[in-house]
Structures are given as structure tokens and as C-alpha cells.
Amino acid sequence: MRPARALIDLAALRHNYLFARDRHGGRALAVVKANAYGHGALACARALAAHADGFAVACIEEAEVLRAGAIEAPILLLEGVFEAEELARVDALGLSMVVHDANQLAMLAGFRPSQPLSIWLKFNTGMNRAGFAPARARELFADLSADGRIGSLVMMTHLARADEPDNEATAEQWRCFRDALEGIPAPRSICNSAGVLGWPQLRADWARPGIMLYGADPMPGEGHGLRPVMTLESRIMAVRALQPGDAVGYGARFVADAPRRIGLVAMGYADGYPRVVPDGTPVAVAGQASRILGRVSMDMLTVDLDGIDAGLGSRVELWGGQVPVNRVAEAAGTIAYELLCNVKRARLEYVGA
Ligand SMILES: *Cc1c(COP(=O)(O)O)cnc(C)c1O
């Protein structure tokens, strides 16, 4: 069996969820969209089921996976519905949905639910992506709260720059939201992970932590004590001795300047490991710090074994407890979110259930 796998530590996931909710206060939706950022949505939701106040996913297809797996907690569709046809499924599955746009209100107009709808009204406070103008908060709240089909309403917004602790934009978004909602008696939700971690003054009734549940700190270096959930690992499948001048892999990117030992690892960009990382990107080989040498291929990559006590079959960690995924993301010029949710082919194996 090919040894590439992603070990998912469900005890760490639970720890991070409880930490997030505790830090924010109130209730917290565990964001498990995009297959729980690559960690397996149903397994993660099951591991959190006894604790989580609810879950959030991007779309109804993701919610259906959870309901089919007997997840009974509230589930919020973060982008709401895309077509009126979905409303009957929202109703049948008892889902909550974001309404962020006039088009979605129009879809709702003729709909007759069998049970009261749970709606999260989203306002654009500066990100200029999804959301109603805050100036409409009063009117929308009045209309929807008088609408007999609607059982509960939460007012929400989303932060664009909460991972920048010194940036004024977050406080401006918050003031915009607070002012627009003044006096409106509905629960509120503002914080993603960076909001939970960096902006205690933005606490509201509901938090929506995502990336922090998986142990990747959106503000690396701040030392929040999150526990990494995924360990992406494989094994050395061959060892090669290089002579000076020997080039390694596609494009001959790495050329040995001295005799050197390298290890071939069963892991490549088809598993979601980023192809773009440069020579020197950190890995851990049999627990020792090492580095990528040469270009990452589809199914394999090569690591430095010089001075490392390892050989055929040695375990290689691409990211996890020893190699923070944030460090690999930085080397790849991206963010941990993208690396984690791109993991594929490598088997997901669960521990800490
Ligand atoms: C994805 C998402 C979140 C979670 O964001 P993180 O940065 O992963 O914590 C929260 N709210 C909304 C609306 C989202 O789309």
C-alpha cells in the first residue's frame, strides 16, 4: 500500500473547537466547509457532535453529506441557496441559511416551508463581496421578523482583514455593523478564526471559527496554543547517492555540489503537496529537520538525507506537529487554508476518536 496519508487527530480538533468557543464566549458554529478544510467533513462533524452548537458549510451539497451521516445539530449554509429549487431541501433537512442578496430574497418570496425557517442575514461592512448594505438592516429585520415563515434571524457580517492585528479596517467593519444594528433585537455573528483570536472586542452571540479548528493559526507566531490536526506524511521509498554535478528531478532544479544522499518520498502534487515550493522547504525525516531538494513531481518528491539518520521506509512528515503547515504555506506563497483543503489521494486516517 502506498504510504502517503493524512493522519487526522480528532482529539486535537475537539480541543481547538472548545478553545475557540471558550475564547469567544457564546456559541460557535464549527465551520466544516470544503470537506472540513480537507480533513473529512463527516468524520470531523461526528467528532465534534457532542460539543458543537452547530456546523457551517458552503452549500447544500455539503450539508446533505452531514445529514446523511446522522448529524442532527444546526447546519448553516454560508452562501445560502443558489437556486429556488434548493429551498425545499433546506426545509426538509432543517438547515439554516444565509441570505445575502436580493436575488435570494426573491427566491424566498413564493416559498411555503413546512417548518419555520432559520435565516442568517448577511451585511457587507467593507469586504464588498456578499451581503446587503448595512443601511437596509432595519427594513430587512422588520420585514423578515414579521414574516410568519421565519422562525429565527441572526444578523451577521464577515471580516476581511482580521488577521492583521494592527489594521484599522476590522474596527471600522465592526463600528459599521454595530451602528447599523443599533437597537435591533437579534443575535449577532461577526468573528471567523482571526476575529476570535485577535479581536476580543468583537465578541457576539455566535462565532464562526474555521481554520483554527484545524490547528493552523491565521496569525502565525502569536502562540495561541492551537493543536495541529492534520499530519501529512509518507515514507522513503528509495535512497540515492548523488555525485557532484548530479541533477535531481524535472528541470534539474537541484544539482549536487558534493556527494550527497537523498531520499525519494511517496508524496507529490497529486496528493495536494504544493509543486511550487523551493529547495529548502522544511520537512521532517524520522523526526529530524530536513528539506525538499529538487522539484516536487506528481507522485514523488525528494528530500535531503545528509546528516540524517534515516533510510528506506523512514517516516517523512510534510506538515503536522513538527513542520507547521503555515511554514510550508509560506514557502509555497499561499496560506494554510489552501494547502489543507487541497489534500487528496493521500488516505485520511483518524486517531483520537
Ligand atoms: C469560511 C468562513 C468562516 C471561517 O473562516 P476561518 O478564517 O477559516 O475561521 C467564517 N465565516 C464565513 C462567512 C466563512 O465563509
Side-chain angles (χ1 to χ4, degrees):
M1 187 161 54
R2 189 164 175 269
R5 61 180 187 169
L7 283 176
I8 308 296
D9 181 348
L10 297 171
L13 176 72
R14 274 191 297 275
H15 166 88
N16 294 336
Y17 173 81
L18 294 172
F19 173 80
R21 185 173 63 187
D22 192 52
R23 187 167 172 115
H24 179 272
R27 290 183 280 179
L29 292 180
V31 180
V32 293
K33 63 190 178 188
N35 201 26
Y37 295 46
H39 294 67
L42 184 55
C44 289
R46 282 184 173 150
L48 291 173
H51 305 281
D53 302 310
F55 297 95
V57 294
C59 57
I60 195 161
E61 291 81 1
E62 293 180 342
E64 283 169 342
V65 170
L66 301 184
R67 284 285 187 255
I71 298 297
E72 288 170 2
I75 301 175
L76 175 65
L77 307 181
L78 287 167
E79 293 170 21
V81 294
F82 294 82
E83 308 178 293
E85 175 272 327
E86 293 167 36
L87 291 169
R89 289 147 76 198
V90 166
D91 181 36
L93 295 176
L95 306 175
S96 309
M97 65 184 156
V98 167
V99 173
H100 63 76
D101 177 85
N103 181 41
Q104 291 178 325
L105 281 179
M107 290 182 209
L108 268 176
F111 182 60
R112 298 273 147 261
S114 68
Q115 55 181 326
L117 292 168
S118 159
I119 300 230
W120 290 48
L121 262 183
K122 183 169 182 174
F123 293 94
N124 167 33
T125 55
M127 193 169 189
N128 291 315
R129 216 176 47 167
F132 291 101
R136 295 194 58 193
R138 236 154 260 290
E139 161 222 335
L140 287 170
F141 177 78
D143 286 357
L144 296 184
S145 55
D147 185 330
R149 300 171 303 163
I150 293 170
S152 72
L153 263 180
V154 177
M155 311 295 257
M156 71 177 282
T157 192
H158 194 46
L159 302 170
R161 306 187 70 173
D163 57 340
E164 302 171 49
D166 301 322
N167 196 293
E168 265 304 297
T170 300
E172 270 167 37
Q173 282 197 265
W174 174 66
R175 279 191 294 272
C176 171
F177 190 62
R178 180 198 60 188
D179 294 351
L181 268 53
E182 206 191 327
I184 294 181
R188 290 147 164 73
S189 177
I190 306 174
C191 288
N192 56 1
S193 297
V196 169
L197 291 168
W199 299 86
Q201 61 276 46
L202 270 60
R203 265 178 215 139
D205 301 282
W206 286 93
R208 307 184 309 271
I211 193 74
M212 71 182 294
L213 303 180
Y214 309 102
D217 196 321
M219 288 168 283
E222 304 267 316
H224 294 118
L226 300 171
R227 284 168 52 185
V229 174
M230 182 190 292
T231 302
L232 184 66
E233 63 170 44
S234 190
R235 290 185 185 277
I236 293 187
M237 55 194 271
V239 175
R240 176 175 303 281
L242 299 179
Q243 298 308 315
D246 285 350
V248 178
Y250 288 114
R253 185 177 74 185
F254 176 77
V255 180
D257 59 354
R260 175 177 290 284
R261 242 171 33 111
I262 58 165
L264 184 61
V265 182
M267 176 68 66
Y269 60 78
D271 301 294
Y273 190 84
R275 178 178 175 278
V276 297
V277 297
D279 291 340
T281 299
V283 300
V285 179
Q288 302 149 82
S290 180
R291 57 190 181 135
I292 300 274
L293 293 179
R295 216 172 250 167
V296 172
S297 315
M298 187 182 289
D299 313 312
M300 290 178 262
L301 54 80
T302 36
V303 298
D304 194 359
L305 292 185
D306 247 27
I308 293 204
D309 182 16
L312 191 64
S314 291
R315 183 179 162 272
V316 179
E317 177 181 308
L318 288 312
W319 61 66
Q322 281 186 279
V323 181
V325 64
N326 275 319
R327 283 190 63 196
V328 182
E330 196 188 338
T334 185
I335 52 177
Y337 297 74
E338 188 184 12
L339 296 189
L340 294 172
C341 73
N342 276 344
V343 169
K344 51 194 182 291
R345 189 171 69 180
R347 293 186 308 286
L348 298 181
E349 290 180 17
Y350 295 91
V351 297

mmCIF file with all atom_site columns, all heavy atoms in Angstrom, residues 31 33 37 78 122 129 156 158 192-194 208-211 337, ligand 1:
data_model
loop_
_atom_site.group_PDB
_atom_site.id
_atom_site.type_symbol
_atom_site.label_atom_id
_atom_site.label_alt_id
_atom_site.label_comp_id
_atom_site.label_asym_id
_atom_site.label_entity_id
_atom_site.label_seq_id
_atom_site.pdbx_PDB_ins_code
_atom_site.Cartn_x
_atom_site.Cartn_y
_atom_site.Cartn_z
_atom_site.occupancy
_atom_site.B_iso_or_equiv
_atom_site.pdbx_formal_charge
_atom_site.auth_seq_id
_atom_site.auth_comp_id
_atom_site.auth_asym_id
_atom_site.auth_atom_id
_atom_site.pdbx_PDB_model_num
ATOM   1   N N   . VAL A 1 31  ? -16.944 25.506 11.466 1.00 0.00 ? 31  VAL A N   1
ATOM   2   C CA  . VAL A 1 31  ? -17.004 25.610 10.001 1.00 0.00 ? 31  VAL A CA  1
ATOM   3   C C   . VAL A 1 31  ? -16.316 24.379 9.396  1.00 0.00 ? 31  VAL A C   1
ATOM   4   O O   . VAL A 1 31  ? -15.117 24.167 9.592  1.00 0.00 ? 31  VAL A O   1
ATOM   5   C CB  . VAL A 1 31  ? -16.355 26.921 9.514  1.00 0.00 ? 31  VAL A CB  1
ATOM   6   C CG1 . VAL A 1 31  ? -16.428 27.001 7.988  1.00 0.00 ? 31  VAL A CG1 1
ATOM   7   C CG2 . VAL A 1 31  ? -17.065 28.125 10.138 1.00 0.00 ? 31  VAL A CG2 1
ATOM   8   N N   . LYS A 1 33  ? -16.841 23.510 6.009  1.00 0.00 ? 33  LYS A N   1
ATOM   9   C CA  . LYS A 1 33  ? -16.983 23.586 4.541  1.00 0.00 ? 33  LYS A CA  1
ATOM   10  C C   . LYS A 1 33  ? -15.744 22.974 3.876  1.00 0.00 ? 33  LYS A C   1
ATOM   11  O O   . LYS A 1 33  ? -14.723 22.749 4.541  1.00 0.00 ? 33  LYS A O   1
ATOM   12  C CB  . LYS A 1 33  ? -17.157 25.045 4.114  1.00 0.00 ? 33  LYS A CB  1
ATOM   13  C CG  . LYS A 1 33  ? -15.962 25.939 4.421  1.00 0.00 ? 33  LYS A CG  1
ATOM   14  C CD  . LYS A 1 33  ? -16.291 27.408 4.191  1.00 0.00 ? 33  LYS A CD  1
ATOM   15  C CE  . LYS A 1 33  ? -15.125 28.304 4.552  1.00 0.00 ? 33  LYS A CE  1
ATOM   16  N NZ  . LYS A 1 33  ? -15.502 29.737 4.524  1.00 0.00 ? 33  LYS A NZ  1
ATOM   17  N N   . TYR A 1 37  ? -12.064 21.618 5.437  1.00 0.00 ? 37  TYR A N   1
ATOM   18  C CA  . TYR A 1 37  ? -10.740 22.111 5.061  1.00 0.00 ? 37  TYR A CA  1
ATOM   19  C C   . TYR A 1 37  ? -9.812  20.921 4.770  1.00 0.00 ? 37  TYR A C   1
ATOM   20  O O   . TYR A 1 37  ? -8.632  20.913 5.130  1.00 0.00 ? 37  TYR A O   1
ATOM   21  C CB  . TYR A 1 37  ? -10.140 22.994 6.154  1.00 0.00 ? 37  TYR A CB  1
ATOM   22  C CG  . TYR A 1 37  ? -10.866 24.302 6.442  1.00 0.00 ? 37  TYR A CG  1
ATOM   23  C CD1 . TYR A 1 37  ? -12.242 24.356 6.578  1.00 0.00 ? 37  TYR A CD1 1
ATOM   24  C CD2 . TYR A 1 37  ? -10.162 25.492 6.607  1.00 0.00 ? 37  TYR A CD2 1
ATOM   25  C CE1 . TYR A 1 37  ? -12.897 25.559 6.849  1.00 0.00 ? 37  TYR A CE1 1
ATOM   26  C CE2 . TYR A 1 37  ? -10.813 26.702 6.885  1.00 0.00 ? 37  TYR A CE2 1
ATOM   27  C CZ  . TYR A 1 37  ? -12.180 26.715 7.006  1.00 0.00 ? 37  TYR A CZ  1
ATOM   28  O OH  . TYR A 1 37  ? -12.832 27.894 7.289  1.00 0.00 ? 37  TYR A OH  1
ATOM   29  N N   . LEU A 1 78  ? -23.445 28.785 4.402  1.00 0.00 ? 78  LEU A N   1
ATOM   30  C CA  . LEU A 1 78  ? -22.798 30.101 4.480  1.00 0.00 ? 78  LEU A CA  1
ATOM   31  C C   . LEU A 1 78  ? -23.059 30.966 3.248  1.00 0.00 ? 78  LEU A C   1
ATOM   32  O O   . LEU A 1 78  ? -22.934 32.182 3.305  1.00 0.00 ? 78  LEU A O   1
ATOM   33  C CB  . LEU A 1 78  ? -21.287 29.935 4.683  1.00 0.00 ? 78  LEU A CB  1
ATOM   34  C CG  . LEU A 1 78  ? -20.861 29.464 6.076  1.00 0.00 ? 78  LEU A CG  1
ATOM   35  C CD1 . LEU A 1 78  ? -19.401 29.039 6.074  1.00 0.00 ? 78  LEU A CD1 1
ATOM   36  C CD2 . LEU A 1 78  ? -21.098 30.546 7.119  1.00 0.00 ? 78  LEU A CD2 1
ATOM   37  N N   . LYS A 1 122 ? -26.936 38.490 6.064  1.00 0.00 ? 122 LYS A N   1
ATOM   38  C CA  . LYS A 1 122 ? -25.537 38.918 5.988  1.00 0.00 ? 122 LYS A CA  1
ATOM   39  C C   . LYS A 1 122 ? -25.418 40.334 5.449  1.00 0.00 ? 122 LYS A C   1
ATOM   40  O O   . LYS A 1 122 ? -26.033 40.688 4.446  1.00 0.00 ? 122 LYS A O   1
ATOM   41  C CB  . LYS A 1 122 ? -24.766 37.957 5.095  1.00 0.00 ? 122 LYS A CB  1
ATOM   42  C CG  . LYS A 1 122 ? -23.276 38.255 5.007  1.00 0.00 ? 122 LYS A CG  1
ATOM   43  C CD  . LYS A 1 122 ? -22.540 37.111 4.335  1.00 0.00 ? 122 LYS A CD  1
ATOM   44  C CE  . LYS A 1 122 ? -21.039 37.372 4.274  1.00 0.00 ? 122 LYS A CE  1
ATOM   45  N NZ  . LYS A 1 122 ? -20.322 36.201 3.756  1.00 0.00 ? 122 LYS A NZ  1
ATOM   46  N N   . ARG A 1 129 ? -17.988 41.785 -0.819 1.00 0.00 ? 129 ARG A N   1
ATOM   47  C CA  . ARG A 1 129 ? -18.164 40.521 -1.513 1.00 0.00 ? 129 ARG A CA  1
ATOM   48  C C   . ARG A 1 129 ? -19.658 40.227 -1.396 1.00 0.00 ? 129 ARG A C   1
ATOM   49  O O   . ARG A 1 129 ? -20.432 40.797 -2.143 1.00 0.00 ? 129 ARG A O   1
ATOM   50  C CB  . ARG A 1 129 ? -17.276 39.478 -0.814 1.00 0.00 ? 129 ARG A CB  1
ATOM   51  C CG  . ARG A 1 129 ? -16.639 38.478 -1.704 1.00 0.00 ? 129 ARG A CG  1
ATOM   52  C CD  . ARG A 1 129 ? -15.705 37.570 -0.922 1.00 0.00 ? 129 ARG A CD  1
ATOM   53  N NE  . ARG A 1 129 ? -16.282 37.053 0.327  1.00 0.00 ? 129 ARG A NE  1
ATOM   54  C CZ  . ARG A 1 129 ? -15.786 36.074 1.043  1.00 0.00 ? 129 ARG A CZ  1
ATOM   55  N NH1 . ARG A 1 129 ? -14.668 35.475 0.662  1.00 0.00 ? 129 ARG A NH1 1
ATOM   56  N NH2 . ARG A 1 129 ? -16.357 35.660 2.144  1.00 0.00 ? 129 ARG A NH2 1
ATOM   57  N N   . MET A 1 156 ? -25.434 38.894 10.636 1.00 0.00 ? 156 MET A N   1
ATOM   58  C CA  . MET A 1 156 ? -24.010 38.570 10.546 1.00 0.00 ? 156 MET A CA  1
ATOM   59  C C   . MET A 1 156 ? -23.267 39.469 9.570  1.00 0.00 ? 156 MET A C   1
ATOM   60  O O   . MET A 1 156 ? -23.855 40.096 8.687  1.00 0.00 ? 156 MET A O   1
ATOM   61  C CB  . MET A 1 156 ? -23.820 37.108 10.116 1.00 0.00 ? 156 MET A CB  1
ATOM   62  C CG  . MET A 1 156 ? -24.193 36.840 8.670  1.00 0.00 ? 156 MET A CG  1
ATOM   63  S SD  . MET A 1 156 ? -23.859 35.109 8.161  1.00 0.00 ? 156 MET A SD  1
ATOM   64  C CE  . MET A 1 156 ? -22.101 35.146 7.896  1.00 0.00 ? 156 MET A CE  1
ATOM   65  N N   . HIS A 1 158 ? -18.899 39.601 7.815  1.00 0.00 ? 158 HIS A N   1
ATOM   66  C CA  . HIS A 1 158 ? -17.663 38.832 7.678  1.00 0.00 ? 158 HIS A CA  1
ATOM   67  C C   . HIS A 1 158 ? -16.491 39.803 7.580  1.00 0.00 ? 158 HIS A C   1
ATOM   68  O O   . HIS A 1 158 ? -16.584 40.837 6.915  1.00 0.00 ? 158 HIS A O   1
ATOM   69  C CB  . HIS A 1 158 ? -17.753 37.947 6.430  1.00 0.00 ? 158 HIS A CB  1
ATOM   70  C CG  . HIS A 1 158 ? -16.712 36.876 6.352  1.00 0.00 ? 158 HIS A CG  1
ATOM   71  N ND1 . HIS A 1 158 ? -16.390 36.057 7.413  1.00 0.00 ? 158 HIS A ND1 1
ATOM   72  C CD2 . HIS A 1 158 ? -15.932 36.468 5.323  1.00 0.00 ? 158 HIS A CD2 1
ATOM   73  C CE1 . HIS A 1 158 ? -15.444 35.196 7.028  1.00 0.00 ? 158 HIS A CE1 1
ATOM   74  N NE2 . HIS A 1 158 ? -15.148 35.423 5.778  1.00 0.00 ? 158 HIS A NE2 1
ATOM   75  N N   . ASN A 1 192 ? -14.725 35.203 12.453 1.00 0.00 ? 192 ASN A N   1
ATOM   76  C CA  . ASN A 1 192 ? -14.063 33.996 11.952 1.00 0.00 ? 192 ASN A CA  1
ATOM   77  C C   . ASN A 1 192 ? -12.918 33.684 12.931 1.00 0.00 ? 192 ASN A C   1
ATOM   78  O O   . ASN A 1 192 ? -12.833 34.291 14.005 1.00 0.00 ? 192 ASN A O   1
ATOM   79  C CB  . ASN A 1 192 ? -13.573 34.234 10.516 1.00 0.00 ? 192 ASN A CB  1
ATOM   80  C CG  . ASN A 1 192 ? -12.643 35.445 10.426 1.00 0.00 ? 192 ASN A CG  1
ATOM   81  O OD1 . ASN A 1 192 ? -12.348 36.099 11.434 1.00 0.00 ? 192 ASN A OD1 1
ATOM   82  N ND2 . ASN A 1 192 ? -12.194 35.744 9.227  1.00 0.00 ? 192 ASN A ND2 1
ATOM   83  N N   . SER A 1 193 ? -12.020 32.798 12.539 1.00 0.00 ? 193 SER A N   1
ATOM   84  C CA  . SER A 1 193 ? -10.939 32.432 13.472 1.00 0.00 ? 193 SER A CA  1
ATOM   85  C C   . SER A 1 193 ? -10.095 33.633 13.877 1.00 0.00 ? 193 SER A C   1
ATOM   86  O O   . SER A 1 193 ? -9.797  33.819 15.059 1.00 0.00 ? 193 SER A O   1
ATOM   87  C CB  . SER A 1 193 ? -10.009 31.394 12.830 1.00 0.00 ? 193 SER A CB  1
ATOM   88  O OG  . SER A 1 193 ? -10.707 30.218 12.554 1.00 0.00 ? 193 SER A OG  1
ATOM   89  N N   . ALA A 1 194 ? -9.690  34.419 12.896 1.00 0.00 ? 194 ALA A N   1
ATOM   90  C CA  . ALA A 1 194 ? -8.819  35.551 13.212 1.00 0.00 ? 194 ALA A CA  1
ATOM   91  C C   . ALA A 1 194 ? -9.548  36.536 14.118 1.00 0.00 ? 194 ALA A C   1
ATOM   92  O O   . ALA A 1 194 ? -8.940  37.151 15.004 1.00 0.00 ? 194 ALA A O   1
ATOM   93  C CB  . ALA A 1 194 ? -8.347  36.235 11.931 1.00 0.00 ? 194 ALA A CB  1
ATOM   94  N N   . ARG A 1 208 ? -17.830 31.926 14.290 1.00 0.00 ? 208 ARG A N   1
ATOM   95  C CA  . ARG A 1 208 ? -17.782 31.011 13.152 1.00 0.00 ? 208 ARG A CA  1
ATOM   96  C C   . ARG A 1 208 ? -16.331 30.602 12.878 1.00 0.00 ? 208 ARG A C   1
ATOM   97  O O   . ARG A 1 208 ? -15.770 30.914 11.831 1.00 0.00 ? 208 ARG A O   1
ATOM   98  C CB  . ARG A 1 208 ? -18.379 31.666 11.902 1.00 0.00 ? 208 ARG A CB  1
ATOM   99  C CG  . ARG A 1 208 ? -19.793 32.250 12.100 1.00 0.00 ? 208 ARG A CG  1
ATOM   100 C CD  . ARG A 1 208 ? -20.354 32.793 10.791 1.00 0.00 ? 208 ARG A CD  1
ATOM   101 N NE  . ARG A 1 208 ? -19.464 33.690 10.095 1.00 0.00 ? 208 ARG A NE  1
ATOM   102 C CZ  . ARG A 1 208 ? -19.404 35.014 10.274 1.00 0.00 ? 208 ARG A CZ  1
ATOM   103 N NH1 . ARG A 1 208 ? -20.200 35.612 11.151 1.00 0.00 ? 208 ARG A NH1 1
ATOM   104 N NH2 . ARG A 1 208 ? -18.561 35.740 9.580  1.00 0.00 ? 208 ARG A NH2 1
ATOM   105 N N   . PRO A 1 209 ? -15.713 29.877 13.818 1.00 0.00 ? 209 PRO A N   1
ATOM   106 C CA  . PRO A 1 209 ? -14.314 29.501 13.607 1.00 0.00 ? 209 PRO A CA  1
ATOM   107 C C   . PRO A 1 209 ? -14.165 28.395 12.565 1.00 0.00 ? 209 PRO A C   1
ATOM   108 O O   . PRO A 1 209 ? -14.917 27.430 12.560 1.00 0.00 ? 209 PRO A O   1
ATOM   109 C CB  . PRO A 1 209 ? -13.882 28.996 14.988 1.00 0.00 ? 209 PRO A CB  1
ATOM   110 C CG  . PRO A 1 209 ? -15.150 28.467 15.599 1.00 0.00 ? 209 PRO A CG  1
ATOM   111 C CD  . PRO A 1 209 ? -16.245 29.370 15.090 1.00 0.00 ? 209 PRO A CD  1
ATOM   112 N N   . GLY A 1 210 ? -13.179 28.563 11.686 1.00 0.00 ? 210 GLY A N   1
ATOM   113 C CA  . GLY A 1 210 ? -12.862 27.540 10.689 1.00 0.00 ? 210 GLY A CA  1
ATOM   114 C C   . GLY A 1 210 ? -11.428 27.070 10.855 1.00 0.00 ? 210 GLY A C   1
ATOM   115 O O   . GLY A 1 210 ? -11.146 26.117 11.580 1.00 0.00 ? 210 GLY A O   1
ATOM   116 N N   . ILE A 1 211 ? -10.507 27.801 10.256 1.00 0.00 ? 211 ILE A N   1
ATOM   117 C CA  . ILE A 1 211 ? -9.116  27.337 10.171 1.00 0.00 ? 211 ILE A CA  1
ATOM   118 C C   . ILE A 1 211 ? -8.528  27.009 11.550 1.00 0.00 ? 211 ILE A C   1
ATOM   119 O O   . ILE A 1 211 ? -7.726  26.085 11.688 1.00 0.00 ? 211 ILE A O   1
ATOM   120 C CB  . ILE A 1 211 ? -8.236  28.377 9.428  1.00 0.00 ? 211 ILE A CB  1
ATOM   121 C CG1 . ILE A 1 211 ? -6.880  27.802 9.049  1.00 0.00 ? 211 ILE A CG1 1
ATOM   122 C CG2 . ILE A 1 211 ? -8.062  29.655 10.240 1.00 0.00 ? 211 ILE A CG2 1
ATOM   123 C CD1 . ILE A 1 211 ? -6.902  26.833 7.910  1.00 0.00 ? 211 ILE A CD1 1
ATOM   124 N N   . TYR A 1 337 ? -4.905  27.431 4.588  1.00 0.00 ? 337 TYR A N   1
ATOM   125 C CA  . TYR A 1 337 ? -6.238  27.051 4.114  1.00 0.00 ? 337 TYR A CA  1
ATOM   126 C C   . TYR A 1 337 ? -6.146  26.287 2.792  1.00 0.00 ? 337 TYR A C   1
ATOM   127 O O   . TYR A 1 337 ? -6.784  25.258 2.593  1.00 0.00 ? 337 TYR A O   1
ATOM   128 C CB  . TYR A 1 337 ? -7.094  28.288 3.813  1.00 0.00 ? 337 TYR A CB  1
ATOM   129 C CG  . TYR A 1 337 ? -7.431  29.222 4.942  1.00 0.00 ? 337 TYR A CG  1
ATOM   130 C CD1 . TYR A 1 337 ? -6.489  30.079 5.478  1.00 0.00 ? 337 TYR A CD1 1
ATOM   131 C CD2 . TYR A 1 337 ? -8.731  29.294 5.426  1.00 0.00 ? 337 TYR A CD2 1
ATOM   132 C CE1 . TYR A 1 337 ? -6.822  30.990 6.473  1.00 0.00 ? 337 TYR A CE1 1
ATOM   133 C CE2 . TYR A 1 337 ? -9.078  30.206 6.420  1.00 0.00 ? 337 TYR A CE2 1
ATOM   134 C CZ  . TYR A 1 337 ? -8.112  31.046 6.941  1.00 0.00 ? 337 TYR A CZ  1
ATOM   135 O OH  . TYR A 1 337 ? -8.441  31.941 7.923  1.00 0.00 ? 337 TYR A OH  1
HETATM 136 C C1  . LIG B 2 .   ? -15.109 30.226 5.824  1.00 0.00 ? 1   LIG B C1  1
HETATM 137 C C2  . LIG B 2 .   ? -15.884 31.183 6.660  1.00 0.00 ? 1   LIG B C2  1
HETATM 138 C C3  . LIG B 2 .   ? -15.600 31.310 8.021  1.00 0.00 ? 1   LIG B C3  1
HETATM 139 C C4  . LIG B 2 .   ? -14.436 30.616 8.688  1.00 0.00 ? 1   LIG B C4  1
HETATM 140 O O1  . LIG B 2 .   ? -13.275 31.375 8.419  1.00 0.00 ? 1   LIG B O1  1
HETATM 141 P P1  . LIG B 2 .   ? -11.848 30.985 9.073  1.00 0.00 ? 1   LIG B P1  1
HETATM 142 O O2  . LIG B 2 .   ? -10.964 32.092 8.637  1.00 0.00 ? 1   LIG B O2  1
HETATM 143 O O3  . LIG B 2 .   ? -11.463 29.688 8.469  1.00 0.00 ? 1   LIG B O3  1
HETATM 144 O O4  . LIG B 2 .   ? -12.046 30.900 10.517 1.00 0.00 ? 1   LIG B O4  1
HETATM 145 C C5  . LIG B 2 .   ? -16.407 32.120 8.774  1.00 0.00 ? 1   LIG B C5  1
HETATM 146 N N1  . LIG B 2 .   ? -17.440 32.815 8.214  1.00 0.00 ? 1   LIG B N1  1
HETATM 147 C C6  . LIG B 2 .   ? -17.717 32.737 6.890  1.00 0.00 ? 1   LIG B C6  1
HETATM 148 C C7  . LIG B 2 .   ? -18.849 33.528 6.341  1.00 0.00 ? 1   LIG B C7  1
HETATM 149 C C8  . LIG B 2 .   ? -16.943 31.933 6.069  1.00 0.00 ? 1   LIG B C8  1
HETATM 150 O O5  . LIG B 2 .   ? -17.217 31.868 4.775  1.00 0.00 ? 1   LIG B O5  1
#
